């Protein structure tokens, strides 16, 4: 097994990544099992892992607002949906021998601990994977922003942004445009100025202000998690270095 370059990482999972492209279910058992095994690969490398999971497979606050829901109410519903995904992932990881803890920005003490920074760090130091639900606990904030914020709070070495069947950042959607250009490296300002759909601007600005490197890659590709953690160039690296 490859030697890990990073000691502690945060993995951002989209809710869609758990759907497996299926229209008849919100969480596909085979897909979430595959995701869990990818996480286990990182865990087995001795890397401390935290995970922020989205809820797009179940609920999207912005879309619900357009349908007539109050935006704040819709966003809180989305935070609860992230807890569903977190519990499903916790159960799947437990079945393959990975000890986990779910912490939530919302108080749902029957199923999750409250997010307490030092407790989360202690769990990771003891070899447990920490799954962070509930976003930031505030409406109008995406789970991308939650991932950036928790990464900074927990002192991770890198934020791993996973994309569903897309192996990095492109200047257009490669699934729609076969001529889309892939970037191997971007600075924070390039990503912001080009308005690339890496993550929302609040999240990207947080990463830039705190010099947190971001690797955008396809989690589903074989051995990609190991390659990313060993420092191999995969996907797209976003940091403050101008490599021109």
């Amino acid at each position: 097994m490859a030697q890990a370059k990073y000691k502690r990482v945060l993995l951002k999972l989209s809710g869609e990544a758990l759907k497996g492209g299926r229209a008849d279910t919100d969480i596909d058992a085979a897909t979430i099992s595959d995701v869990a095994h990818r996480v286990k690969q990182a865990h087995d490398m001795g890397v401390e892992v935290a995970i922020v999971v989205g809820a797009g497979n179940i609920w999207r606050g912005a879309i619900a607002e357009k349908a007539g829901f109050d935006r704040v109410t819709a966003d809180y519903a989305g935070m609860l949906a992230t807890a569903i995904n977190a519990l499903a992932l916790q159960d799947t990881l437990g079945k393959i021998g990975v000890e986990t803890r779910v912490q939530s920005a919302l108080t749902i003490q029957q199923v999750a601990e409250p997010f307490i920074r030092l407790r989360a760090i202690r769990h990771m130091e003891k070899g447990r994977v920490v799954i962070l639900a509930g976003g930031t606990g505030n409406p109008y904030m995406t789970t991308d922003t939650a991932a950036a914020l928790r990464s900074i709070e927990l002192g991770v070495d890198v934020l791993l942004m996973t994309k569903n069947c897309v192996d990095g950042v492109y200047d257009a959607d490669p699934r729609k445009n076969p001529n889309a250009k892939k970037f191997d490296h971007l600075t924070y300002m390039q990503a912001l100025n080009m308005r690339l759909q890496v993550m929302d601007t609040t999240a990207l600005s947080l990463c830039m202000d705190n010099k947190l490197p971001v690797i955008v890659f396809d989690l589903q590709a074989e051995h990609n998690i190991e390659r990313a953690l060993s420092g191999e160039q995969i996907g797209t690296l976003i940091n403050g270095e101008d490599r021109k």
Side-chain angles (χ1 to χ4, degrees):
M1 184 171 290
Q3 181 69 33
K5 176 182 177 180
Y6 305 106
K7 178 184 178 183
R8 181 180 299 162
V9 303
L10 187 140
L11 181 66
K12 168 59 170 63
L13 289 174
S14 67
E16 289 89 342
L18 306 181
K19 197 175 180 71
R22 293 179 56 180
D24 59 338
T25 184
D26 291 329
I27 300 175
D28 177 58
T31 300
I32 197 171
S33 176
D34 184 64
V35 169
H37 279 87
R38 309 286 181 184
V39 174
K40 186 176 187 299
Q41 289 174 354
H43 182 265
D44 289 347
M45 291 176 72
V47 178
E48 297 174 7
V49 181
I51 300 171
V52 167
V53 63
N57 56 321
I58 300 173
W59 183 268
R60 282 191 176 276
I63 294 175
E65 181 187 24
K66 291 179 181 178
F69 286 86
D70 173 76
R71 177 60 189 268
V72 174
T73 301
D75 280 356
Y76 277 121
M79 294 177 214
L80 292 173
T82 67
I84 295 173
N85 285 338
L87 291 174
L89 184 57
Q90 180 187 41
D91 182 73
T92 308
L93 283 166
K95 288 176 180 176
I96 58 174
V98 180
E99 189 176 2
T100 69
R101 294 291 186 273
V102 174
Q103 292 196 347
S104 173
L106 297 178
T107 303
I108 42 176
Q109 62 186 11
Q110 287 85 351
V111 295
E113 300 176 1
F115 173 71
I116 299 173
R117 173 179 168 269
L118 292 179
R119 182 181 289 179
I121 291 172
R122 186 60 176 151
H123 283 320
M124 287 189 289
E125 289 175 341
K126 289 185 174 181
R128 299 166 184 149
V129 171
V130 178
I131 306 172
L132 302 163
T136 67
N138 301 289
Y140 296 100
M141 297 292 162
T142 68
T143 51
D144 283 353
T145 298
L149 177 62
R150 297 298 184 233
S151 293
I152 296 161
E153 289 180 295
L154 298 176
V156 306
D157 300 313
V158 65
L159 168 56
L160 302 176
M161 291 285 297
T162 66
K163 295 296 180 180
N164 194 19
C165 298
V166 177
D167 62 343
V169 180
Y170 288 76
D171 61 358
D173 189 339
R175 292 169 294 188
K176 298 178 181 177
N177 183 356
N179 296 316
K181 175 189 173 184
K182 179 187 172 186
F183 300 100
D184 292 327
H185 173 262
L186 289 165
T187 66
Y188 303 114
M189 287 307 302
Q190 286 171 336
L192 285 167
N193 291 336
M194 295 171 71
R195 299 186 180 276
L196 302 172
Q197 295 182 348
V198 182
M199 58 178 75
D200 67 76
T201 55
T202 302
L204 193 53
S205 295
L206 271 173
C207 295
M208 179 173 66
D209 291 344
N210 293 275
K211 299 179 174 60
L212 174 68
V214 182
I215 299 174
V216 183
F217 72 110
D218 179 11
L219 181 67
Q220 302 298 326
E222 193 71 22
H223 301 301
N224 252 10
I225 188 75
E226 294 170 318
R227 294 172 64 197
L229 293 176
S230 64
E232 185 176 337
Q233 173 62 53
I234 67 164
T236 303
L237 172 65
I238 304 172
N239 61 16
E241 299 176 13
D242 191 342
R243 297 185 176 181
K244 289 183 180 180

